[in-house]
Amino acid sequence: MPGRAALLSLLLLAVAAAAWLGGLCCLAGRDDALALALCAAGAMSLRALQRVVRAGEEGVP
Amino acid sequence: MSSLGGQGPELRCALAGLAAWTMTVGPSAFSLRAGSGARAAAALALGAAVAGPLAGRRHAAVARHLGLSAFAGLAALSWVLCSLAGLRVPGDRFQAILGAVAWGAFALSWPHPWSVSERHMLMPAGSAAGPAPRRSVASYAIAVPAAAGLVAAACLGLAWRIREPSRAVLAQTVAVAAAVGLLAAAGDVAVRTPGPREDVRQPRTRAGLGQQVASSLLWALVLAALVAFLLLTR
């Protein structure tokens, strides 16, 4: 995987981790709408990460 | 023995399913108080657990639907029918622990995740077993999964702070999904990132990030904007 894709994947992983931690904190704090949005953002970050990794391995689709 | 060795993964899946069925489904479904529906579901689950993996090599999709979906669904149906008949499933705490271990072993015994395409599943052994061997590993190859493990543990711990039953179930589900997703992604990133001696100047077919990556990033940005909006208007 090229260095740029590796950097981007690390960034996306950090974003996903932060989003899910924040989402669970919001869920504990009864802020359901924000929790849902944060968890969805975390999931989409991981989806983007998956695609970045695949693009880095196989060439840009 | 040689024929058994050739059927190794299928046999492993079948035995793991059989163990899970024996520890959790069978005892309650075939007790005296259980109804005929629970017994039929349990018997069908047993058949699916054994027949699914054995169909694996030639009919991968059938094997997955039978060995994973049908087995889990029929086992759940049997439990529901047993519970409706007033039976405790599982019977005691020790049986519950053993059952959880058996189902975990069953889950780990299936080597092919749903995301693997049929084309890759039908490849010769070894060709779909992950990335090619590397000359070197990135310096942060251990740090990234370790950090992800800590965050995953924090997610799981946060979920236990919620005491209301309905919200707690939701939080546990989200936390488990987050933990699994983070660990899998961190492992993927750690394995595939370039090491210090690896030449990263790979030929690229096209400049840019690609349409799929860009669309995923766009969705993540839209959701981030939604989060910001919710934070500002609370």
Side-chain angles (χ1 to χ4, degrees):
Chain A
M1 190 162 61
R4 190 181 60 168
L7 198 63
L8 185 58
S9 59
L10 278 177
L11 182 68
L12 286 169
L13 186 64
V15 168
W20 269 330
L21 276 178
L24 282 164
C25 283
C26 289
L27 206 58
R30 292 167 172 271
D31 197 344
D32 288 346
L34 189 55
L36 189 65
L38 279 168
C39 290
M44 283 313 299
S45 296
L46 272 203
R47 182 72 182 141
L49 185 153
Q50 196 181 16
R51 286 177 168 174
V52 166
V53 168
R54 197 187 307 158
E57 285 288 307
E58 302 172 358
V60 178
Chain B
M1 274 309 281
S2 61
S3 63
L4 279 180
Q7 296 284 325
E10 291 85 356
L11 197 63
R12 184 180 62 209
C13 294
L15 286 176
L18 192 62
W21 186 92
T22 307
M23 288 181 198
T24 55
V25 183
S28 49
F30 288 94
S31 63
L32 289 176
R33 286 171 56 193
S36 56
R39 286 181 190 172
L44 287 174
L46 179 62
V50 175
L54 296 182
R57 189 153 291 185
R58 294 197 174 188
H59 308 286
V62 174
R64 282 179 289 163
H65 286 305
L66 204 58
L68 287 172
S69 310
F71 176 48
L74 288 166
L77 178 65
S78 173
W79 286 331
V80 168
L81 292 173
C82 284
S83 295
L84 290 176
L87 283 164
R88 283 188 64 191
V89 182
D92 56 26
R93 188 172 296 177
F94 182 66
Q95 191 186 356
I97 293 171
L98 276 181
V101 171
W103 278 98
F106 169 73
L108 291 175
S109 72
W110 277 85
H112 305 300
W114 290 98
S115 57
V116 177
S117 66
E118 290 300 313
R119 184 171 61 83
H120 281 88
M121 287 189 68
L122 294 174
M123 280 181 169
S127 57
R134 307 179 55 84
R135 290 193 301 274
S136 60
V137 177
S139 56
Y140 51 84
I142 295 178
V144 170
L150 286 177
V151 176
C155 285
L156 293 172
L158 274 172
W160 285 103
R161 287 177 54 200
I162 300 168
R163 298 189 183 280
E164 302 160 62
S166 59
R167 295 165 62 82
V169 170
L170 175 65
Q172 293 285 351
T173 308
V174 170
V176 169
V180 170
L182 280 176
L183 287 175
D188 215 16
V189 168
V191 168
R192 292 169 194 258
T193 44
R197 293 186 304 279
E198 188 172 354
D199 184 9
V200 298
R201 289 173 298 175
Q202 296 171 348
R204 285 183 294 175
T205 54
R206 202 186 304 169
L209 282 173
Q211 193 179 356
Q212 287 188 335
V213 175
S215 68
S216 292
L217 285 174
L218 186 66
W219 274 110
L221 281 175
V222 167
L223 287 166
L226 179 63
V227 168
F229 174 74
L230 288 168
L231 273 174
L232 290 173
T233 56
R234 65 196 299 194

